[in-house]
Amino acid sequence: MLQAARELLAVRTPLDAELMVSDMIGAWWGKRVKGGDVEQVLGEGLVDYAAKAGTPASLTLLICLAYLGTARQGAKAEGAALAMMEGGVARPGWADRVGAVKPTGCYVSRDAYGDQDTVICTFAYRWGEAADRPQDRHALVMVVDHNMNGMARDAWVSSHVDKLLDQARTEAEADPMLLFEEIEPQQARALLESAMKATREPKTPPPVSDSYSAYHAFARSRLKALPPGRKRPAPLHIEAPYSRERRAMLAAEFLSSDAAEHLSDPSAASRCADHIIDYGCEQDFNRPMRVSPVKCETFLLDWLPRKVMLSRAEQEAMPHVLSAWVRFAAGRTGLPERGLRATQDAVWEATAKFPESYRDPTSFGLDLPLLERLLPDGDLSALARRVFAFPFLQGMHGDIDLDKLDPADQADRRTLLRFDHVGDIDEEHLAWHEEIATRLWDGDPPQLWEAAQRLLDLGHDRHDVLHVLIEIAERIGGDPEELAAALDDIADIPDEI
């Protein structure tokens, strides 16, 4: 990277340099390294290495890293760069202008469904007349996907600012399904910072564009040039959280509406409506009334099969209830007729796939009473880890009927875990088994079950896996971040376990 940084000495503008270094450090964005955080191991390691080199190329790289790096990288890079400049190391004439930008406008292009926001933030350099030169104006463009927890999915930079804005306005004027408007810089910053945080949170590689990593550092730093504020991001139309009472009232309004009059099973329709509303509140920023083809398909074919235990009656009713909900919500939100038809078409296309996507939990070989004990909250995604934590839930053990013990009850858990061991067991060790079982039951932290699955996939015995998890939890203590990091690092069971 230090050799590649020699090219920085040949660039003519700070924008070119910032984009080059953003692309360079994007090489490790989202990656994992053993033994620490990737930004610390590679990012801070690069700063230290560049500081020792003491060359004009390394100084130029440090100046860019002071602006583009993380807070720790920036502080270290700035200190090292100042020391090198005091020592007389030469730097390009544009180096003093790195990051010296001011925002000149923020805009959003939004589809009528509310699926996606394309946010455009324009900037110019502050120094002298340079801010008025076209080559110094530029736009950061980021795409926010509200069907993916509001994450940033794509990013790029354009120097053709006027052309970009004119094209967005023209497209919105020609298509009633599009809206283009200017927003306040505080709103743009709040929305994009939230979106970048959502992109960073998934433990699996997020579904972003190939170019996202190259512009990630640039975007993160440019957002700091926007004024901070606590204003609600306008493009999201985020509502206040829905209380249980408010959700129940909304369900009642729907069930008494003309859209729902053809539903033949009121009981199943009511429970299905509750799931639709819960999904909109918990997965879509408190927007149960927002409907779109993508949102409905994701709900029916992805979220429901992973998260919710439906009865047979609910499985049959759900597509019909969802279709009725689309008509109800579209009328309330003013979704154009074209959007309503497209959403209804998507629902019925997904309906044909729903029986295959939603596998009845009773087909797993577990009877309904057992499923209800394992899933009192109806969270279908918890089934595998809870079965792993409590494998003995049926039959007689001496004079104790295991079918009557509740794994959700703390007292019964200790009894169930005793039956999971042959012979006497130390009470302290049993307490650690209970700690791990409780964490697996709650999914806290999610890395615990992820680590267990990796070890099981390698062919290790269940008890050996549990003992590895116990050893890590006992060694780390109560620090949740350290525990999550240690669990992420598990690749196999050490020989000494």
Side-chain angles (χ1 to χ4, degrees), residues 183-258:
I183 59 174
E184 294 184 13
Q186 296 95 327
Q187 295 173 312
R189 177 170 177 170
L191 170 60
L192 293 179
E193 285 184 338
S194 173
M196 294 186 76
K197 181 177 184 293
T199 304
R200 191 172 63 246
E201 286 179 343
K203 295 304 176 184
T204 55
V208 297
S209 69
D210 293 339
S211 65
Y212 182 82
S213 60
Y215 292 102
H216 175 265
F218 182 91
R220 179 183 60 197
S221 299
R222 276 296 188 270
L223 294 186
K224 295 176 184 176
L226 299 175
R230 295 185 178 179
K231 291 190 176 183
R232 183 178 298 162
L236 284 177
H237 295 303
I238 297 177
E239 297 186 32
Y242 275 63
S243 65
R244 277 293 155 194
E245 291 75 14
R246 189 181 177 193
R247 296 186 193 192
M249 288 179 60
L250 182 57
E253 290 177 26
F254 162 65
L255 294 169
S256 62
S257 69
D258 293 342

Side-chain angles (χ1 to χ4, degrees), residues 140-160:
L140 169 66
V141 186
M142 298 193 74
V143 177
V144 180
D145 189 336
H146 299 304
N147 290 312
M148 294 293 294
N149 297 317
M151 67 168 52
R153 294 283 300 271
D154 200 359
W156 67 92
V157 173
S158 173
S159 57
H160 303 288

Side-chain angles (χ1 to χ4, degrees), residues 266-295:
S267 178
S270 176
R271 291 192 295 272
C272 290
D274 289 340
H275 293 312
I276 294 170
I277 294 170
D278 287 345
Y279 177 75
C281 292
E282 295 162 14
Q283 303 295 317
D284 193 27
F285 306 96
N286 293 305
R287 297 188 297 175
M289 300 295 286
R290 186 181 80 81
V291 293
S292 78
V294 175
K295 180 180 177 180

